[in-house]
Short mmCIF file of all heavy atoms in Angstrom, two decimals:
data_model
loop_
_atom_site.label_atom_id
_atom_site.label_comp_id
_atom_site.label_asym_id
_atom_site.label_seq_id
_atom_site.Cartn_x
_atom_site.Cartn_y
_atom_site.Cartn_z
N ILE I 1 -13.23 22.23 20.42
CA ILE I 1 -12.21 22.43 21.41
C ILE I 1 -11.40 21.18 21.72
O ILE I 1 -10.67 21.12 22.69
CB ILE I 1 -12.83 23.02 22.73
CG1 ILE I 1 -13.85 22.08 23.28
CG2 ILE I 1 -13.40 24.40 22.49
CD1 ILE I 1 -14.31 22.51 24.70
N GLY I 2 -11.54 20.20 20.86
CA GLY I 2 -10.66 19.01 20.96
C GLY I 2 -11.14 17.92 21.82
O GLY I 2 -10.45 16.94 22.05
N GLU I 3 -12.38 17.98 22.31
CA GLU I 3 -12.91 16.87 23.11
C GLU I 3 -13.47 15.77 22.19
O GLU I 3 -14.12 16.04 21.22
CB GLU I 3 -14.08 17.40 23.97
CG GLU I 3 -13.68 18.41 25.00
CD GLU I 3 -14.87 19.09 25.71
OE1 GLU I 3 -15.97 19.22 25.09
OE2 GLU I 3 -14.65 19.45 26.84
N GLU I 4 -13.16 14.57 22.55
CA GLU I 4 -13.62 13.43 21.80
C GLU I 4 -15.11 13.26 22.06
O GLU I 4 -15.57 13.11 23.19
CB GLU I 4 -12.88 12.14 22.22
CG GLU I 4 -13.23 10.95 21.38
CD GLU I 4 -12.41 9.73 21.72
OE1 GLU I 4 -11.21 9.84 21.95
OE2 GLU I 4 -12.99 8.59 21.80
N ILE I 5 -15.93 13.19 20.95
CA ILE I 5 -17.35 13.08 21.10
C ILE I 5 -17.91 11.80 20.49
O ILE I 5 -19.03 11.42 20.73
CB ILE I 5 -18.12 14.28 20.54
CG1 ILE I 5 -17.77 14.53 19.08
CG2 ILE I 5 -17.85 15.50 21.36
CD1 ILE I 5 -18.60 15.63 18.45
N ALA I 6 -17.08 11.10 19.66
CA ALA I 6 -17.51 9.84 19.09
C ALA I 6 -16.33 9.04 18.67
O ALA I 6 -15.32 9.57 18.16
CB ALA I 6 -18.44 10.06 17.92
N GLY I 7 -16.39 7.71 18.88
CA GLY I 7 -15.41 6.78 18.32
C GLY I 7 -15.97 6.13 17.09
O GLY I 7 -17.01 5.51 17.13
N LEU I 8 -15.30 6.33 15.95
CA LEU I 8 -15.78 5.79 14.68
C LEU I 8 -15.19 4.44 14.36
O LEU I 8 -15.85 3.57 13.84
CB LEU I 8 -15.48 6.77 13.55
CG LEU I 8 -15.99 8.22 13.78
CD1 LEU I 8 -15.57 9.11 12.60
CD2 LEU I 8 -17.48 8.23 13.99
N VAL I 9 -13.91 4.26 14.71
CA VAL I 9 -13.22 2.97 14.49
C VAL I 9 -12.21 2.81 15.66
O VAL I 9 -11.56 3.78 16.04
CB VAL I 9 -12.44 2.94 13.16
CG1 VAL I 9 -11.60 1.68 13.04
CG2 VAL I 9 -13.37 3.11 11.99
N ASN I 10 -12.13 1.59 16.22
CA ASN I 10 -11.12 1.33 17.19
C ASN I 10 -10.90 -0.20 17.15
O ASN I 10 -11.37 -0.93 18.01
CB ASN I 10 -11.55 1.75 18.59
CG ASN I 10 -10.41 1.68 19.59
OD1 ASN I 10 -9.27 1.42 19.23
ND2 ASN I 10 -10.75 1.85 20.85
N GLU I 11 -10.15 -0.65 16.15
CA GLU I 11 -9.89 -2.07 15.98
C GLU I 11 -8.67 -2.34 15.11
O GLU I 11 -8.26 -1.41 14.40
CB GLU I 11 -11.11 -2.77 15.36
CG GLU I 11 -11.43 -2.26 13.93
CD GLU I 11 -12.73 -2.83 13.39
OE1 GLU I 11 -13.55 -3.32 14.18
OE2 GLU I 11 -12.90 -2.72 12.19
N GLU I 12 -8.18 -3.52 15.17
CA GLU I 12 -7.05 -3.91 14.28
C GLU I 12 -7.62 -4.11 12.86
O GLU I 12 -8.66 -4.81 12.73
CB GLU I 12 -6.38 -5.17 14.77
CG GLU I 12 -5.14 -5.47 13.98
CD GLU I 12 -4.30 -6.58 14.62
OE1 GLU I 12 -4.89 -7.60 15.01
OE2 GLU I 12 -3.05 -6.39 14.69
N GLN I 13 -6.97 -3.53 11.88
CA GLN I 13 -7.43 -3.63 10.51
C GLN I 13 -6.27 -4.01 9.62
O GLN I 13 -5.13 -3.69 9.90
CB GLN I 13 -8.07 -2.32 10.03
CG GLN I 13 -9.37 -2.00 10.76
CD GLN I 13 -9.96 -0.73 10.24
OE1 GLN I 13 -9.32 0.24 9.92
NE2 GLN I 13 -11.27 -0.75 10.14
N ASP I 14 -6.62 -4.65 8.47
CA ASP I 14 -5.57 -5.04 7.49
C ASP I 14 -5.07 -3.80 6.73
O ASP I 14 -5.68 -2.77 6.67
CB ASP I 14 -6.15 -6.05 6.51
CG ASP I 14 -6.42 -7.37 7.17
OD1 ASP I 14 -5.67 -7.76 8.11
OD2 ASP I 14 -7.38 -8.08 6.77
N LYS I 15 -3.91 -4.02 6.12
CA LYS I 15 -3.29 -3.03 5.25
C LYS I 15 -4.26 -2.75 4.11
O LYS I 15 -5.01 -3.61 3.69
CB LYS I 15 -1.99 -3.59 4.69
CG LYS I 15 -1.40 -2.73 3.59
CD LYS I 15 -0.16 -3.39 3.00
CE LYS I 15 0.39 -2.54 1.90
NZ LYS I 15 1.66 -3.05 1.40
N GLY I 16 -4.29 -1.50 3.67
CA GLY I 16 -5.14 -1.14 2.52
C GLY I 16 -6.03 0.07 2.79
O GLY I 16 -5.91 0.76 3.78
N TYR I 17 -6.99 0.26 1.84
CA TYR I 17 -7.90 1.39 1.92
C TYR I 17 -9.14 0.98 2.68
O TYR I 17 -9.71 -0.08 2.49
CB TYR I 17 -8.29 1.81 0.49
CG TYR I 17 -9.29 2.92 0.47
CD1 TYR I 17 -8.88 4.22 0.80
CD2 TYR I 17 -10.65 2.73 0.14
CE1 TYR I 17 -9.81 5.27 0.79
CE2 TYR I 17 -11.53 3.72 0.16
CZ TYR I 17 -11.15 5.03 0.50
OH TYR I 17 -12.02 6.05 0.47
N HIS I 18 -9.54 1.85 3.56
CA HIS I 18 -10.76 1.68 4.38
C HIS I 18 -11.59 2.95 4.32
O HIS I 18 -11.06 4.02 4.14
CB HIS I 18 -10.42 1.39 5.85
CG HIS I 18 -9.48 0.21 6.00
ND1 HIS I 18 -9.98 -1.09 6.18
CD2 HIS I 18 -8.15 0.12 6.00
CE1 HIS I 18 -9.00 -1.89 6.33
NE2 HIS I 18 -7.84 -1.20 6.19
N LYS I 19 -12.92 2.81 4.50
CA LYS I 19 -13.74 3.98 4.61
C LYS I 19 -14.83 3.74 5.62
O LYS I 19 -15.27 2.61 5.85
CB LYS I 19 -14.32 4.39 3.29
CG LYS I 19 -15.26 3.44 2.61
CD LYS I 19 -15.70 3.99 1.28
CE LYS I 19 -16.58 2.98 0.58
NZ LYS I 19 -17.08 3.53 -0.73
N VAL I 20 -15.30 4.83 6.23
CA VAL I 20 -16.33 4.85 7.28
C VAL I 20 -17.36 5.89 6.87
O VAL I 20 -17.03 7.00 6.49
CB VAL I 20 -15.71 5.22 8.64
CG1 VAL I 20 -16.77 5.35 9.69
CG2 VAL I 20 -14.68 4.20 9.07
N GLU I 21 -18.61 5.50 6.98
CA GLU I 21 -19.68 6.49 6.79
C GLU I 21 -20.12 6.95 8.14
O GLU I 21 -20.43 6.19 9.08
CB GLU I 21 -20.87 5.87 6.07
CG GLU I 21 -21.88 6.94 5.71
CD GLU I 21 -22.76 6.55 4.49
OE1 GLU I 21 -22.16 6.08 3.49
OE2 GLU I 21 -23.96 6.75 4.58
N PHE I 22 -20.16 8.29 8.32
CA PHE I 22 -20.53 8.91 9.61
C PHE I 22 -21.87 9.63 9.45
O PHE I 22 -22.09 10.38 8.51
CB PHE I 22 -19.44 9.91 10.02
CG PHE I 22 -19.84 10.69 11.25
CD1 PHE I 22 -19.99 10.10 12.48
CD2 PHE I 22 -20.10 12.04 11.13
CE1 PHE I 22 -20.42 10.81 13.59
CE2 PHE I 22 -20.51 12.77 12.21
CZ PHE I 22 -20.65 12.19 13.46
N ASP I 23 -22.78 9.38 10.43
CA ASP I 23 -24.06 10.03 10.46
C ASP I 23 -24.06 11.05 11.55
O ASP I 23 -24.00 10.73 12.74
CB ASP I 23 -25.15 8.95 10.71
CG ASP I 23 -26.56 9.55 10.72
OD1 ASP I 23 -26.70 10.81 10.62
OD2 ASP I 23 -27.51 8.76 10.76
N GLY I 24 -24.14 12.32 11.17
CA GLY I 24 -24.12 13.41 12.14
C GLY I 24 -25.49 13.95 12.51
O GLY I 24 -25.60 15.12 12.94
#
């Protein structure tokens, strides 16, 4: 229903490809 339940990234990052592993 659109409620935020987790913040995975919230920071300044450099140009380029990034990836995050999420554990549910």
Side-chain angles (χ1 to χ4, degrees):
I1 60 172
E3 296 171 329
E4 185 176 319
I5 57 173
L8 307 178
V9 174
N10 190 9
E11 64 187 15
E12 187 170 47
Q13 294 183 320
D14 290 329
K15 172 183 178 174
Y17 178 74
H18 302 271
K19 65 181 178 179
V20 173
E21 188 155 313
F22 172 68
D23 182 353

